[in-house]
Amino acid sequence: MLGRALRRQLTQPCAPRAFSSSSIPRADFTHVVIGAGAVGLAIARKLADRDGTSTLLLERHGAVGTETSSRNSEVIHAGIYYGPTSLKTKLCLRGKQMMYDLCEKQNIPYRNSKKWILAQDAQQHEELVKTHDFAKSIGVPMEFLSLSEARAREPDVLAREAVLESPTTGIVDSHAYMSYLESDFQSKGGDLACHTNVQSVEPLSSGKAGWRIKTTSPSSPEITIITSETVINSAGLAAVPLSNSILPPERHLTPYYAKGSYYSYTAPLPRPKTLIYPAPTSGAAGLGTHLTMDMTGALRFGPDVEWVSSPTDLSVNESRLPAALDEIKTYLPGIRREKVQLDYSGIRPKLGKGGAVWRGSGEGFLDFVIRREEGFEGFVNLLGIESPGLTSSLAIGEMVEGLLYR
């Protein structure tokens, strides 16, 4: 529910702001950002840094970052999987360096853990060669390790054919990162409203530019109306339904939900110190059931991929554990199967081209969609923001500001 101070603010006219010639004299806010995950926080923080503006960040849950942003591997990705011209590649490369710099400057826990990608046969080796060549073409350092060096460094890890190392991959405490973004956003004068459900977003009537956002809270049926010069749809799992409620039918998109389960490991050994990934599979919707760790060194495995019709079920599917264990055993043969436990799951929002349905491969799924919507002045859409969204978040904030002001 919106706090009293914020409710009072909503009833007061805002000072004139330099957004455009069609600025709304009495809009409550310059910017309303919907969705306070890592990306929404980064966008709101960037916009709040502009002089003469006001930014409101809306979140339907009781705290920031409780959906996809806190249910992932917490990996700082190198940017090697997404194609040479994709937004994912561009924003991951930029965001990776921005995140490392911010974590270092603000003492946000992170570690440049590095990552190994393993090949167990000749075909997988070919995939690693393709990954290496692509990384080289976009300026991302990658190197092959000899099998003897790999065994000396990580004796518990099995690679029969080849090991490709990514030296710029790392891990971050995503909760500490988002906590910093939230605090910094508010220190810049931004307003955060949790427990706030967006019921509708509509253009203002009478030909005025700007937006009317109707919201409710779980504790009250009362509708609060907010007006804003701009609306940024960063609603994550709810972003496509929100976009479809605003844009005409011919511009609607179909959301797909890829649920990924994670598994914890409670035995003292084996304990690799490097992130371990299987070789990429062409057309796959994920990167395989890989090994990562948190800042305490606790191991976790995942995510796998389970296509679901709704983004609301976050229970871990126990029936998927045997297949995950079989994949883990291919690169960590000493793992004690009985010590691998169900942990948590997350859901990745994906998009399909032309309404295509899932048919068993990752081909046909779209890049990030980040754009000002033509014919809807002041409306910026962010759709299909999955991995590497966390790594890219600061660069996405920079991009959205550029879409609005440059």
Side-chain angles (χ1 to χ4, degrees), residues 44-51 53-55 180-191:
R45 170 179 174 264
K46 186 67 175 177
L47 294 175
D49 206 27
R50 295 190 65 88
D51 291 337
T53 64
S54 59
T55 301
Y180 169 77
L181 294 182
E182 177 184 1
S183 176
D184 197 46
F185 165 64
Q186 291 178 315
S187 74
K188 297 177 187 298
D191 289 298

Side-chain angles (χ1 to χ4, degrees), residues 8-287:
R8 286 197 300 270
Q9 184 174 349
L10 296 183
T11 65
Q12 301 299 318
C14 294
R17 306 180 186 99
F19 173 67
S20 71
S21 59
S22 58
S23 291
I24 313 159
R26 296 179 63 86
D28 298 317
F29 293 92
T30 314
H31 319 109
V32 166
V33 181
I34 301 173
V39 170
L41 284 163
I43 293 167
R45 170 179 174 264
K46 186 67 175 177
L47 294 175
D49 206 27
R50 295 190 65 88
D51 291 337
T53 64
S54 59
T55 301
L56 173 64
L57 179 57
L58 302 179
E59 171 55 49
R60 61 181 173 176
H61 297 294
V64 304
T66 59
E67 289 189 353
T68 308
S69 295
S70 61
R71 293 175 171 272
N72 55 52
S73 302
E74 297 186 298
V75 172
I76 303 174
H77 288 285
I80 57 175
Y81 293 114
Y82 318 112
T85 61
S86 71
L87 269 182
K88 286 185 176 181
T89 294
K90 175 184 175 181
L91 294 170
C92 186
L93 296 183
R94 171 69 175 154
K96 171 181 63 175
Q97 191 57 55
M98 293 175 76
M99 180 172 284
Y100 276 131
D101 291 346
L102 182 71
C103 289
E104 185 67 25
K105 182 178 180 181
Q106 300 298 333
N107 295 314
I108 299 168
Y110 79 99
R111 181 158 65 85
N112 182 207
S113 58
K114 303 182 181 180
K115 177 175 83 173
W116 287 2
I117 311 173
L118 308 182
Q120 309 296 354
D121 56 37
Q123 182 177 356
Q124 290 183 356
H125 192 177
E126 290 179 8
E127 291 298 325
L128 263 58
V129 171
K130 293 176 186 177
T131 301
H132 174 270
D133 291 347
F134 173 68
K136 183 178 179 181
S137 74
I138 59 173
V140 175
M142 300 280 288
E143 62 176 328
F144 280 99
L145 305 180
S146 69
L147 294 182
S148 59
E149 179 184 353
R151 281 193 295 271
R153 286 172 53 181
E154 294 284 6
D156 295 317
V157 175
L158 174 63
R160 292 186 173 91
E161 189 74 21
V163 176
L164 181 61
E165 181 174 73
S166 167
T168 62
T169 299
I171 56 175
V172 64
D173 183 335
S174 63
H175 299 279
Y177 170 66
M178 290 188 289
S179 179
Y180 169 77
L181 294 182
E182 177 184 1
S183 176
D184 197 46
F185 165 64
Q186 291 178 315
S187 74
K188 297 177 187 298
D191 289 298
L192 171 64
C194 292
H195 290 303
T196 303
N197 296 308
V198 173
Q199 299 299 316
S200 66
V201 178
E202 302 169 338
L204 289 178
S205 58
S206 304
K208 294 180 180 179
W211 297 88
R212 179 183 295 104
I213 304 106
K214 294 182 179 179
T215 69
T216 59
S217 84
S219 61
S220 171
E222 180 183 354
I223 292 177
T224 297
I225 297 177
I226 305 162
T227 58
S228 179
E229 297 178 14
T230 66
V231 170
I232 296 90
N233 175 16
S234 184
L237 296 172
V240 169
L242 178 60
S243 174
N244 290 348
S245 75
I246 297 169
L247 301 182
E250 63 271 18
R251 290 163 68 175
H252 288 185
L253 293 172
T254 300
Y256 294 85
Y257 303 110
K259 183 177 181 178
S261 292
Y262 289 85
Y263 311 93
S264 62
Y265 187 60
T266 57
L269 292 173
R271 286 280 162 178
K273 297 179 177 61
T274 308
L275 308 187
I276 307 296
Y277 283 57
T281 301
S282 179
L287 300 178

